[in-house]
Amino acid sequence: MNLVTGSDFHALFAEFKRSAFRLEGRDRYYAPDERERLRKFLAGEGYDVASRLAAPWWQMIRDATAGGKRVQRVRVVTEPLGDYSRYALAGARINIDGGEDIRYMGRDRAVSLGLPEHDFWLFDERLVAWLHFDDEDALLGAELVEDPDIVEQHMQWQVTAWQHATPYDDYIR
């Protein structure tokens, strides 16, 4: 299996034309650039908004959505929320303000709906980036899949997840 990483992975976000959808199903992720923000958040120091606004990811999403592209995400979470999920929920408003539409779904509901356990991005209803992680929750890379049957299955999961997920503002209430 050939995994796309680094700048090749990030190029997917510059290249999509209409839509990017993420199904995010892990309870925790390890990204070195988040380490200090997460530590501060868990220590009760709040969420470091300034460093997030300076992050290339935020600017990339903002540029994409300002250009008329749609970026959506459904986060499948175990309830009650664990440390990382609480941190991600606190930071979601920044992504939303940048143009991303984020919704939430409890894990039990996702299982009952038959959603997959793997994380993926679906670009323009034509390309699946199946995300692979190591045992420490760090992203190893994305397996790119254009097989029409696999893309169609992921499109069905996208529709199901989106229809049954709760918008961020409703979820935080």
Side-chain angles (χ1 to χ4, degrees):
M1 165 180 26
N2 189 16
L3 297 181
V4 174
T5 61
S7 61
D8 291 335
F9 177 70
H10 289 145
L12 296 171
F13 297 91
E15 294 169 358
F16 79 94
K17 305 293 184 219
R18 295 178 314 281
S19 65
F21 171 82
R22 167 112 184 242
L23 183 66
E24 185 174 286
R26 302 173 67 83
D27 283 323
R28 162 181 105 116
Y29 297 87
Y30 174 76
D33 64 325
E34 284 188 326
R35 189 178 203 166
E36 184 61 14
R37 284 194 306 266
L38 177 60
R39 185 200 64 73
K40 286 180 176 182
F41 176 80
L42 295 177
E45 298 176 30
Y47 194 91
D48 183 0
V49 174
S51 70
R52 276 294 304 281
L53 293 176
W57 172 259
W58 188 84
Q59 191 60 52
M60 180 175 56
I61 295 303
R62 183 178 162 110
D63 291 347
T65 58
K69 298 176 183 180
R70 188 174 70 244
V71 181
Q72 300 172 312
R73 180 187 312 247
V74 171
R75 285 185 168 148
V76 175
V77 293
T78 300
E79 297 168 323
L81 299 180
D83 289 345
Y84 188 90
S85 293
R86 287 186 301 106
Y87 163 78
L89 184 67
R93 171 53 61 196
I94 297 164
N95 284 25
I96 292 166
D97 290 347
E100 186 176 358
D101 191 346
I102 301 176
R103 297 184 180 192
Y104 287 80
M105 178 183 299
R107 186 162 314 285
D108 293 342
R109 180 76 169 138
V111 169
S112 73
L113 291 169
L115 295 177
E117 293 183 10
H118 65 272
D119 283 30
F120 66 87
W121 280 98
L122 176 63
F123 296 99
D124 295 328
E125 295 83 34
R126 65 163 193 82
L127 175 68
V128 173
W130 185 321
L131 304 180
H132 294 267
F133 297 87
D134 67 17
D135 292 337
E136 301 300 317
D137 303 305
L139 179 65
L140 294 171
E143 177 183 356
L144 302 184
V145 181
E146 294 182 285
D147 178 280
D149 293 333
I150 293 172
V151 170
E152 177 63 32
Q153 176 63 71
H154 285 77
M155 288 171 55
Q156 290 172 11
W157 285 328
Q158 173 191 12
V159 168
T160 299
W162 197 250
Q163 287 177 343
H164 294 278
T166 303
Y168 171 83
D169 287 332
D170 294 335
Y171 189 79
I172 61 170
R173 285 188 209 124

